[in-house]
Amino acid sequence: MLRDLLLCERKVALDAHGGDARRDPVSPFVRMLWRDGLAHEDAILGRLRGSVVDLRGDDRDLRERETSRAMAAGAPTILGAVIRSGDKIGMPDLLTASGAGHVAFDVKSGAALESATGRYKREYLVQVAHYARILGEIGAGPADTCGIVDRTGAAVTYDLSIPLGRNLGTGGDLHASLLTRAREVLDGAGDTAPALSARCGMCEWRSHCRAELAATDDLTLIPGLGRAIRAPISSIADTVAGLAAADPAQLRALPGVGVDRLRRFAERARLLADPSAGPVARAPLKIPAAEHEVDFDVEADPMRGIVYLHGFWHERESAEPGFVYFFAETPDERGERRAFAQAIGHFRQHRDAQWFHYSAYERTAYRDLQRRHPEVCDAAEIEAIFASERCTDLYATVAAQTDWPLSSYGIKAIAKACGFAWEDKDPGGAASIEWYDRHVAGEAGLRERIVAYNRDDVRAGARVRAALRELEATGHIAGFQRPAA
């Protein structure tokens, strides 16, 4: 619950008070995450050796009693524990004995630390901090020590007494504030409001919340304006229409929001509020043009940690467009390396082409692939592929130099508004990951579906590229159509 509260307190309120009738069905992708998460947890815990008290097969009440007995007896390792203090209950995956009592760990299929900063993952921290607080209150372990067993099986300890960052307090402070807020929400005393974010797509309350957001004309319908900065901006206007009506000359910097950024949000609000508005170029777009242009995209499986598909859409002035792809024939490092080598060979074969992709993900993916498979190419070659004179990130152009009367600047939203249609009735990156999981399990026909989806993704990139050129040349996009409200 505390993790959900950290990410979206509206979900916690709806889980407690919303009733099941208004929920969307749980998506196949989320079910896959649950299943694979449990399988990963079982695999990690199954490697433990020595004296282990395993309570995972028992009912909750029995687990709680046996956990108390096992801790009192000094059991080195306890699996499936249940601990309680007052109105707080915790179910850590693992308790390990230490000189100060037992320390709680959760098993995760991701990294225990943020890759960019090396800091604790806050959504993990609030879960295990809850266990540490309970253990401290019942005198069974240190209240400021807990940890994560990461995807490799390594145990990473979190110290809840150290600051999380400038002016952020400690991990223990964060847990305490969330605990107070959780009680308010569960008691129905704390008002909550939905906020549009990338996480909404996997939530079973997405349809309900999107209807609420539309009905209230919520500020988070403006791209880039998230929950964290909605509060300061709402001191000026608390709806899209209200911000659209604000006088740009009267706008001033707010806590966490500079004046230029605030004015940009106001411009986007005016587009959203005007039913006749179309996309606007705010600066020269300068989309590179060449006789041979290639849009490319990759598909990855985060559960297995591999990139398994590279797709390329070629457009030449002297020939019909064509699609080329390289698929990992085995769902492992060997298959990933072979497909990556084929993709790098394709870049080398067409080194004189102009390349396009949508979002920074491709650059990150190829850098990671090079580090995992340095025998395929060196880091300098990856940087040459993505050099600005040769390769263009269309999303960077869209986000920095244009404004659209849309609530998302993702390729699905932009391309569909420009007249492109995916062949698959349920296109999406999350869906393709779930298809790949079923493909690996042997289900027939899904490889073709994944490849077709990737083909449409790169064709969509080409459509966006053409639309941006049209916008720059004429000031509008003839085929642009706003999505239905």
Side-chain angles (χ1 to χ4, degrees), residues 133-209:
R133 177 163 180 167
I134 294 172
L135 290 169
E137 288 180 353
I138 64 177
D144 59 0
T145 305
C146 49
I148 296 295
V149 179
D150 70 11
R151 62 188 171 204
T152 68
V156 178
T157 300
Y158 286 0
D159 182 348
L160 303 179
S161 67
I162 65 174
L164 296 176
R166 183 180 298 175
N167 301 323
L168 292 179
T170 66
D173 295 335
L174 175 62
H175 173 264
S177 65
L178 285 172
L179 192 60
T180 298
R181 183 58 176 160
R183 291 183 175 120
E184 293 173 350
V185 172
L186 292 177
D187 289 342
D191 291 335
T192 62
L196 187 63
S197 77
R199 296 181 182 273
C200 294
M202 292 191 292
C203 179
E204 61 266 36
W205 297 105
R206 58 190 177 276
S207 297
H208 176 76
C209 286

Side-chain angles (χ1 to χ4, degrees), residues 11-131:
K11 181 182 186 305
V12 176
L14 288 169
D15 284 344
H17 309 296
D20 290 337
R22 292 186 290 176
R23 292 178 189 263
D24 291 319
V26 177
S27 72
F29 175 73
V30 172
R31 291 188 183 279
M32 181 201 74
L33 292 179
W34 291 346
R35 184 190 68 241
D36 289 356
L38 288 173
H40 173 75
E41 178 185 318
D42 286 343
I44 293 294
L45 297 180
R47 299 176 192 170
L48 297 175
R49 296 293 180 265
S51 178
V52 176
V53 176
D54 191 348
L55 307 175
R56 289 175 294 169
D58 300 329
D59 65 60
R60 182 183 294 187
D61 289 341
L62 179 58
R63 287 164 59 193
E64 184 176 351
R65 293 194 299 271
E66 292 302 318
T67 298
S68 297
R69 291 193 182 101
M71 288 193 297
T77 305
I78 307 169
L79 309 183
V82 175
I83 52 179
R84 186 189 299 269
S85 174
D87 64 346
K88 299 181 294 297
I89 187 168
M91 291 180 281
D93 295 330
L94 171 68
L95 291 176
T96 62
S98 72
H102 282 82
V103 176
F105 289 83
D106 261 355
V107 177
K108 300 295 183 182
S109 57
L113 304 176
E114 298 286 358
S115 58
T117 64
R119 294 175 177 169
Y120 303 152
K121 284 190 174 178
R122 293 205 298 164
E123 60 189 83
Y124 290 174
L125 181 145
V126 296
Q127 293 174 281
V128 290
H130 190 65
Y131 310 145

Side-chain angles (χ1 to χ4, degrees), residues 230-245:
R230 176 173 58 187
I233 293 177
S234 65
S235 65
I236 297 173
D238 59 3
T239 64
V240 173
L243 188 57

Side-chain angles (χ1 to χ4, degrees), residues 6-8 193-200 213 218-234 237-238 240 243 254-257 261-262 265 268 407:
L6 179 72
L7 301 176
C8 177
L196 187 63
S197 77
R199 296 181 182 273
C200 294
L213 292 167
D218 189 82
L219 288 170
T220 61
L221 294 172
I222 301 171
L225 199 163
R227 183 188 298 275
I229 60 174
R230 176 173 58 187
I233 293 177
S234 65
D238 59 3
V240 173
L243 188 57
L254 298 168
V257 190
R261 190 179 182 201
L262 181 58
F265 287 142
R268 291 180 174 180
S407 291

